Amino acid sequence: MELSDPAAPDNSALTDATNRRKSGRTRQKPVTLYEDPNLTQVSNGRAKRKRAEPQGKEAENIEEEEPEDDESAGESESDPDEEELKERRKRAAKSRKSPNKPAAKKPKTARNTTTKLAIRPAASGVKKTPKPRKPQAPQSTVIDNGTGLYAEVFSQEDTMDDVAAGWITRYQAHQTSAMCDLVNFILKCTGCDLQVDVHDIEDPDNVASKLTDLQEEYQAQKITDYPLISKAKASASFRSSVTEFFRSLIATAHASSLLYSDEALIENIEAWVTAMSSSGNRPFRHTATVIALSISNAVCGLVTEIIESTAKTMRQKEGENKKKTVNKGRVAALQATLNDDEKRQRFAEGILRDLFDAVFVHRYRDVDPKIRVDCVTALGTWITTLPDIFFEGQYLRYLGWVLSDTSAPTRAEVIKQLSRLFKHKDNVGRLRAFTERFRPRIVEMAARDAEPSIRASSVGLLDLIRDVGLLEPDDIDTIGKLIFDTEPRVRKAVAGFFAENINDHFESTIEELGGEEGIDEALGEEDEEDFDTPRKTWLKLKCLAEVLRSCDSDNDEESPDPIEPGAPGASDSLAAMGVDSRFSLAAQAICNGLPELKEWEILAGYLLYDHSSIAQTQASDDARHTFMARCQPSERQEFLLLEVLNAAVKQRLVDAVENETEKKGKKTKARKNESREIQETTAVHLVQVIPRLLKKFGASSATASVVLRLEHVLNLEIFQELRQDSKTFSSLLDDINKQFLTHADQNVLAEASTALLHARSCEDLEEVTEGKVQELWEDTINALRVLKTANPVEGGSEYLIDLCNTVRRIANLASISDCVQIFDTRARKSAKSASNSPLALLIDTIGNTAAEQDADETDETIINAMKAVLFYYMWMARSIQENMAANSPVTNLPNYSSFVETLVAVLAERSSRLDNVRLAAAGTLLDLYTLFATFRHIRPSKPISGDQDIDATIKELVKEISPDAQAHITTTFTAAEKTYAKKSKRSLDVGEDDDPLDVDLDSDPEDSEDEDPDERVAQEKQHEVLLAEKQLCELTGKIVLAIVGRVIDFSGPRKGKLKERLVRNKAKLGSNYKEVVAFLDGPKPKRSHKAKAPQAAKKPVAEMSKPVVVEHDEEEEQEEEEEEEVEEPVEEGGDEDLRTREFEDGEGIEDDSGGEGQEKVVEESEDDIVGD
């Protein structure tokens, strides 16, 4: 097609130029540039608009260049070079790419002026080339490569309804070509660039073989990622776009009646989609399944619409028939519409059945969990959208079967879909049979599923099932016991379920007592400010205690103590370690479910009420007496309610602080004042309530420890600001001291010590608290002196118990108060008490009672004495550090040689067995030397007054453990290692220089049994394994710190041997032990992720779907450790090594070995497998 003159202004310009410059090159190039074959496909008018814009711009530039001098004119007549030709090509391409821009009209009178600009553009810098725009990131990586329907769907220029309508139009014009485009669109959605042609569409019998060929060719490319599961940002909306297109396609075909008039349309789509959904290639199978499910969703909507339309037409027909004069024509038309809708409904239901049988039935158990999740989600949508068809047992059973799926996301999706169904109580009738069949499985998931999130959602589902009355009483009890579960999410989910249990029990109890009206009449009007008067809420608190008691797994034990004195693990109680007990955790969850617990004063009044007076009175038919007798709690229930009281007080204060801030994050003055008032009221009431609670419940160690815990949440600053009488607080401290001196249980002592430490945190009350602590010191030290003077033989077991309790109290006091001066003070000699210092008495207690190994009290006495003496040296080390920081002279250096000799003697005497005393002695010895090793890196900021040689002082403090003590520590580690390996049934590598263990450690004849049918015995064995691992890791951690601190394994003929001993079996003793020993190697170097990417890409595709094998991971860890060993070695214990471990301040370190650097010990594992 020839272009007209207005459409080709540049050609005329080139003609003028060639007339002046007879050059073949300049004549040929412009012709090639503008004779573009693409221009022949455009109409003349459109070509003119495309070419007119550059011409207008050139005209503007010409007007600017006209006043230039002759030099510029001369340059314009020169030969065009390569840059000029490139500029021309760019302008021509730009004019072709912007057809939508408004074109400026070209004035015909300016034709001659265009010749100047056609020869050469402004090269003198007057006309600057515009900067290229920064290309915008495409929204989808697949849009750039797509063509046809695929490009239309993802271009986002038109809506999906417009795209679907356009495809329907093309289909009506040429069915085969449009269907070919649709099939290629589906193939492109799988990430496959291969296509089919019209011949493949015309042969529907060859669909399977054609897909097989495409699948083989696609798999040969070894593509592991496809758009549907891609995590790329561009593929975020891929799924929604595909499903929305097919929804629009089905809706458009329905609106145009093409879906029903041309059955070949849906048949061809089903043929290709169903064949691809059964493909062995995962991208094909997953994408086709999603498309088939989206088509089914759309058809479900159509069926619902047809049903509604049919009902509306039926009402219109019935209304017309009821008229006096029936319009037969209208009735006939309505009947024809009904017949048409019926046919359409049958056809659409046939589509649903075909897709369900061909796709869903096979894919809901697909090997890919993502496909299974999609199927479950679709089935839930079908049931809610079209319940007349899918809300039947033959379809609901698929949801029940998938409850046992191995994939956690699939199980979670089933629970989600079932929760949607049970939320509507109208569905109860249809769900009854399903619930009877699959209820045990749901209960099992709530109680034992591996995923806490699934357990929590299962509890929520069971709560809905309970609301509709389909949950059995046994199942209710099973779920109620989860209030003591270890997972916070499960406890939080059970809180509402548990609260409903309490409400049901409360309502039944009210009915037993004659109803609410009778109780209100018997109790009279309640006084809101007097919390000690009986009220109806007390009965609900009693029900709470009873339900908690029934859910407690230890309800067979009549003792109210959660941990009985002398029981295994009593010395290592949770309270002593600062960990909440299971009762406390359960109480925290309950507070969120019961609104009655927000007023904790009512609960405190219920506990403080003297219920024993009710039992002393004679029984009568009085309603008030019956009510009070029913509210009387047992001792165990009182203990549980005290835990709830603790949680309620904490929750009340937490809510008060959180309510200060609004949802937008702003704090208002009104909310601050309200929060302040709540905190003040709570502080005043607690100070008054705690002494009363201690008076009533202080006799029992379990209840006393819970009451003492209330003091921890007392805000002493607010209490002091209110200017309360200090005598009230002093009286509270007296009650705490009384509990400390009268109880020997470690829980009570730990809570009382924490309460005293909390009281000392307030500066205004520190003086009062310090006086009370000194009174405790005097009482306990005097008791120790008296006991050390008495004859142990005459005292017998009572003497050992008293000595054990006294030393335990001293150890707790030493943990919160400076005991240096107290331990160094000698008393006057008398017949009733010893005159030695408390430090000497404690060390003597360790040495003299070590030989007496008959009583458990003896072992605990020794361990607590070691703790107390270690605390003494820790306080002394702190004092020395403070003196150095203040540049004061260091006096009274500690001499711990006698303590060390005693510890070594204990290790030697107990070398025949591994017990808690031996482990404690080894750990205390390591802690002691490591403690003073820290002074190697401490220097005063200024010279100390008095010309004190600080280096000599530090050298006297920092010492290395003697070879004899190192040998005992090594044998203790070996014993602990073998004990754990035996209990956990692990094999160890034995070295040539290891000393054989003569005694069979902790031999247990039951270990030979493979399985124990008793679950309780199995739990005890598991507890023993965990305890043995804990002991091994604790001892190993202290040894590692000592090695890093250069107080052990640093010099001598066996230098480095202990480190080799530690790392020998690190691959066989579990991940916890491995992490502890890994501290010897220092921090791992950071690796760039870029270096790992190529390695990951080199892995074969087939390995990506293989299950993870432990040996593979261990080999990779071994390779990582070998790569780390290639790095430049760091001197063990040197400046860089200690600085890496954060053991020094960055200052210089004096080498104790006379300047000789320590050689790095290269450890090589004898086993190739690293890890557990």
Side-chain angles (χ1 to χ4, degrees), residues 273-404:
V273 171
T274 54
M276 292 178 65
S277 67
S278 301
S279 173
N281 183 269
R282 183 168 299 183
F284 279 22
R285 188 172 68 253
H286 190 185
T287 306
T289 302
V290 171
I291 293 175
L293 297 177
S294 63
I295 293 175
S296 299
N297 294 339
V299 175
C300 282
L302 295 183
V303 173
T304 303
E305 182 181 346
I306 293 174
I307 292 175
E308 294 176 355
S309 176
T310 302
K312 182 179 180 181
T313 306
M314 184 67 69
R315 290 193 299 269
Q316 293 177 353
K317 179 184 176 183
E318 293 176 354
E320 187 67 28
N321 289 327
K322 291 180 181 179
K323 294 181 179 180
K324 294 182 179 180
T325 56
V326 179
N327 188 343
K328 296 183 179 180
R330 178 174 172 77
V331 172
L334 292 174
Q335 184 62 40
T337 304
L338 289 175
N339 296 336
D340 190 20
D341 289 344
E342 184 179 357
K343 292 180 182 179
R344 292 186 174 189
Q345 182 177 349
R346 286 199 303 268
F347 183 79
E349 291 177 356
I351 297 174
L352 291 176
R353 285 191 296 269
D354 293 342
L355 290 177
F356 187 89
D357 296 336
V359 179
F360 180 87
V361 172
H362 302 286
R363 299 281 70 80
Y364 88 97
R365 52 185 179 180
D366 194 276
V367 67
D368 188 358
K370 296 183 179 64
I371 298 179
R372 302 200 297 269
V373 170
D374 292 336
C375 290
V376 172
T377 305
L379 181 58
T381 303
W382 302 340
I383 293 174
T384 55
T385 305
L386 198 58
D388 295 338
I389 297 178
F390 290 101
F391 210 152
E392 300 292 340
Q394 58 177 334
Y395 298 105
L396 289 173
R397 60 181 180 175
Y398 292 100
L399 295 178
W401 291 338
V402 182
L403 286 172
S404 302

Side-chain angles (χ1 to χ4, degrees), residues 3 247 260 307 348 392 488 590 619 650 652 745 855 928 990 1055:
L3 298 178
R247 184 204 62 78
Y260 312 102
I307 292 175
E392 300 292 340
I590 294 171
K650 292 180 181 178
R652 180 62 171 163
D745 185 71
L928 181 65
V990 181
K1055 174 182 177 182

